[in-house]
Each structure stands twice: as C-alpha cells, then as structure tokens.
Amino acid sequence: MNDRLRHAFLKQASATDLLQQYQTGATFFASPRRSLLARGIKAVLPPCDPSQLAVMAAQYLKNAELEGQPAPVLIGALPFRMDASSAPAHLFMPRQLISGTGVDSAVAALNSAAKPAEASLSAAPLMQPAPEAYRSNVRSALAQIRNGEFEKAVLSRSLTLAAQIEVPALLHRLAALNLHGYTFAIDLTDSGLAAVSERRTLIGASPELLLARYGKELVSHPLAGSIPRSADAVEDRRRADALLCSAKDLHEHALVVDAVAAALRPYCKTLRVPSAPSLLATPTMWHLGTEIRGELADLATTSLEVALALHPTPAVCGHPTAAARKFIADVEGFDRRYFAGLVGWCDSHGDGEWAVTLRCAELGAHSATLYAGAGVVAGSEPQLELLETSGKLRTMLAAMNLELMLEDQAEAAA
C-alpha cells in the first residue's frame, strides 16, 4: 500500500466509530496505532502445516492483490498449540474491511455511554483447575525446576460461566478500560462451527504486543513478572516499586526478553534491547515490560512470519519451550485453545500487528470461558501465583460486572 492510499485508508474512521458500528458476528481489532472492523468472510486460509502458514498467508495476500483487491488483509487468531491437538488456525480475508485510527481517550466515553455488559449466570461457575489443584501444579513445577527439567513454566486456569453475554457491550467496556492495550473480538464461527446459534467469539483486551511490523521497523513488547494492583494508592505504589526490585520477577522477565531478542536477531539489521525493564500498568495488574525494536533486514519477511518465529515465548509457555509445553499439557487439565496464542492482522506488504491472546474469553451463545496464567520460576509461591491468576481474571470479570463472584469463590476456597 503506498503512503497516499495508506493515509486515506486510516482516515476513514476513528476507533470509537468502529466500536459503535460493531455487531456480534463481525471481527474487531484495535491497537494504540490502528483499528480494524471486518464484516463477512471472503476467503479462509485453509488448514496447512504450521511451518507453511506464513508462506501460504503471504501467497494468499499477493494473489488477492493481483486480482485487483485493494489493500488485502488477513485477520484472525492462532491457537497456543500450533498442531492438530487443539483449536485450528483461524485467519481470513473479510468481505468488507474498514480501517481507522488507533484507540485514544475518546474511547473511554463508551464505558459510561454503553449499558453494562452484565452476564446473567444460570449455573455455578466451573474453575479448572480448582484453587488447591492449581497450587499443587505450582508445587510440581517448582519440583521440576529444582530437578533441572526447566527454568520456567506458565500455568493457567480457566473459568467457565453458564451465561448469556451481550458481546458489543462487553467489547465497548474492554476498550474503554484498556486504552493502551490491544482490544479484539474475533468471530470464530467458521472454525468448524456450522450454525449461527453456535457462534463463538474470542474477545479480550491484551496488554502484550508480540510483534508489529511497520515497514522496516519491528517492535515487540514482552511482559513477564506481575503483581495485582491495589485500590489503595500507597499500597499500589509499594507493589509497583517492589516488582521493579524483585529478584524472582526480574529473573523471570530476563528469560523472556533473552528468548525474544534471540528469535528476532536473525531477522534484523539492528536490534535495540533496553538493559532493564520498565513498569506497565493495566487497571488490574502491574507488569514488567521491555520494548524491543529492530530494523528488518529483508522486506520480504512478513509480520506473521516473525510472530510465528517468536510464538510461544517464555511469557506464555516457559523455558526451555519443549519441556515447559510438555509439562503444561501433562498437568494443566484443560485445552487453552486460543488463549496464549496470537490475535491480529497482516497485509499484502507484510505489515501487521500481533498481540498475545491474554485477558480474554471465548464466548458461546450460552457460555463464556475465561483464562489467566502465571509464570512459575525458582522462588515462586503457590498462593501468590494463584492470586496473580485471580488478578488477571478480573479484567474480564470487571467488564462483565462479575468481579465480586471471583472474590466469593476465593473466600470459599481459603
């Protein structure tokens, strides 16, 4: 896309405009830099070997461009496990795509203007694993770390609600409460689901950028090392300062940054890696983050190709990857599906943005499954890791007006 066309494309709408146009069944993705609203499906990238996914995606986009389609884009989601054992890759070209400016402070007004995205529960929630089982998993991970099997493993929980949730209202609240992140609602209906009554939507507000490409510029902003925020300003500041000085969290963060930098180097002429992390705040969590920037060596390399080379980072899996992934499969007790995968877009010139699929839920007609995880390294404490996952679940629960439900469950499990 040339600069003139790109400029015109971006000026069609604001992120607020696109959010207000969103209806269930569409696909939405927004970052601080760009927003996209996709309606309908023109073509779905067919199943293929994960090693060929980026090549096939690039060819699909080039073919669409040669056929006269203006500014073709693939958009969608990729699972945590890139194999046949989990959810399929879901990338598609929309029939209609509206592009707009990035999320800004104007989006915050949607939170007060929209009606609450309240879930109506029809049965007791199901937590997998239950709190004590999760603490047991953390203890098992710590034993494996002491035995030298791996240095880090990320252990997750899922929370399934029997509920009907209004997707547009939930999306509005997520975007309004998370202005600096990556807000998304990906329609998954064509991932082997036949009826509209069985429509599924992957929705969330991720704080973590896995990989963005803008021309020659590559950007990754890995997060690792977290602590829940406090409503008390003094305590909240104390927690943030303690996180910056925590030897355990700094070690966990360094594992992630080193792995991301090592994966990026083969693609870059130059790479800038800050010597120390900085703090990133969300409404519910403090995170350690490091923004890594590089200059792409070959413009034929797409954002999707580099993102797949990074996925999964130690921030969502562990280190070393193979040992951590096996441990997760053995003990976690549920299929992550798209949680801890990728969500984003790529255009025919290779530009694109891919966020890690965090602070998310998969919504059905009568259910919602939420996910959250925490990294376990030497020095981790089972109860604190459990509380970290509870803090992360609050992003979605607060947007659904169900935050108190988690507190009630925590009291019952104590």
Side-chain angles (χ1 to χ4, degrees):
M1 190 191 311
N2 62 43
D3 289 342
R4 180 182 59 80
L5 182 55
R6 184 191 304 275
H7 181 76
F9 200 51
L10 288 174
K11 289 300 183 183
Q12 289 185 22
S14 69
T16 304
D17 294 332
L18 299 193
L19 280 163
Q20 290 174 326
Q21 293 178 46
Y22 171 85
Q23 295 181 335
T24 304
T27 284
F28 177 84
F29 179 88
S31 73
R33 184 164 180 149
R34 177 174 296 187
S35 56
L36 295 170
L37 177 64
R39 297 192 182 106
I41 295 178
K42 183 173 184 178
V44 177
L45 199 67
C48 67
D49 187 289
S51 66
Q52 297 300 309
L53 184 64
V55 173
M56 181 178 285
Q59 191 59 55
Y60 250 57
L61 289 163
K62 287 297 182 187
N63 289 344
E65 195 172 48
L66 290 172
E67 291 168 2
Q69 182 176 334
V73 167
L74 278 171
I75 190 168
L78 301 176
F80 171 69
R81 296 188 70 92
M82 296 291 292
D83 56 40
S85 69
S86 185
H90 183 61
L91 297 178
F92 66 94
M93 288 186 194
R95 290 194 177 278
Q96 181 190 45
L97 183 70
I98 307 173
S99 181
T101 54
V103 172
D104 57 27
S105 57
V107 172
L110 290 173
N111 190 36
S112 56
K115 64 180 181 179
E118 188 167 350
S120 176
L121 297 181
S122 57
L126 172 64
M127 182 75 78
Q128 291 183 283
E132 179 49 38
Y134 183 82
R135 288 189 288 258
S136 178
N137 287 349
V138 174
R139 288 191 288 268
S140 296
L142 289 169
Q144 297 260 14
I145 290 169
R146 286 192 296 270
N147 292 337
E149 299 295 327
F150 46 76
E151 287 189 75
K152 176 182 179 180
V154 179
L155 293 175
S156 303
R157 292 198 292 163
S158 70
L159 177 64
T160 299
L161 314 173
Q164 290 183 298
I165 298 168
E166 186 170 341
V167 181
L170 178 57
L171 181 64
H172 289 180
R173 294 202 69 190
L174 286 169
L177 294 170
N178 297 275
L179 297 179
H180 304 295
Y182 301 83
T183 306
F184 53 89
I186 309 295
D187 180 45
L188 299 174
T189 303
D190 277 71
S191 296
L193 299 171
V196 172
S197 62
E198 294 298 323
R199 187 180 301 280
R200 300 193 70 82
T201 302
L202 177 68
I203 188 167
S206 175
E208 184 167 359
L209 174 65
L210 179 69
L211 191 283
R213 195 200 105 163
Y214 314 111
K216 292 182 178 181
E217 183 183 30
L218 293 181
V219 184
S220 182
H221 195 177
L223 308 179
S226 307
I227 192 169
R229 298 195 65 176
S230 171
D232 178 83
V234 174
E235 171 61 14
D236 192 49
R237 187 70 253 172
R238 186 199 68 77
R239 293 184 185 185
D241 293 341
L243 183 63
L244 269 177
C245 300
S246 165
K248 188 272 288 187
D249 290 290
L250 289 169
H251 170 62
E252 179 185 345
H253 189 77
L255 288 175
V256 177
V257 171
D258 290 348
V260 169
L264 285 174
R265 281 194 182 94
Y267 297 98
C268 295
K269 287 183 179 178
T270 60
L271 191 68
R272 299 185 297 280
V273 183
S275 59
S278 56
L279 286 169
L280 184 145
T282 73
T284 61
M285 300 294 296
W286 284 107
H287 298 281
L288 295 179
T290 295
E291 188 176 78
I292 302 171
R293 292 181 175 269
E295 182 183 357
L296 187 63
D298 182 356
L299 282 175
T301 303
T302 69
S303 63
L304 180 57
E305 179 180 346
V306 183
L308 289 171
L310 296 175
H311 178 64
T313 73
V316 295
C317 182
H319 179 77
T321 302
R325 184 157 43 197
K326 182 181 184 305
F327 181 77
I328 290 166
D330 289 344
V331 307
E332 205 159 62
F334 65 92
D335 183 0
R336 291 184 178 188
R337 290 179 55 80
Y338 297 98
F339 168 64
L342 313 181
V343 60
W345 60 273
C346 181
D347 69 17
S348 58
H349 291 263
D351 284 355
E353 297 174 310
W354 298 96
V356 184
T357 314
L358 304 174
R359 312 299 182 271
C360 64
E362 194 169 324
L363 307 181
H366 303 286
S367 67
T369 300
L370 289 61
Y371 304 89
V376 180
V377 296
S380 292
E381 298 180 28
Q383 180 63 15
L384 293 181
E385 302 307 321
L386 179 71
L387 292 174
E388 182 176 324
T389 64
S390 297
K392 291 172 178 176
L393 285 169
R394 283 191 172 90
T395 295
M396 293 299 301
L397 290 171
M400 295 176 182
N401 285 343
L402 289 174
E403 195 170 6
L404 289 177
M405 181 201 69
L406 189 65
E407 294 176 5
D408 293 342
Q409 278 206 333
E411 290 177 5

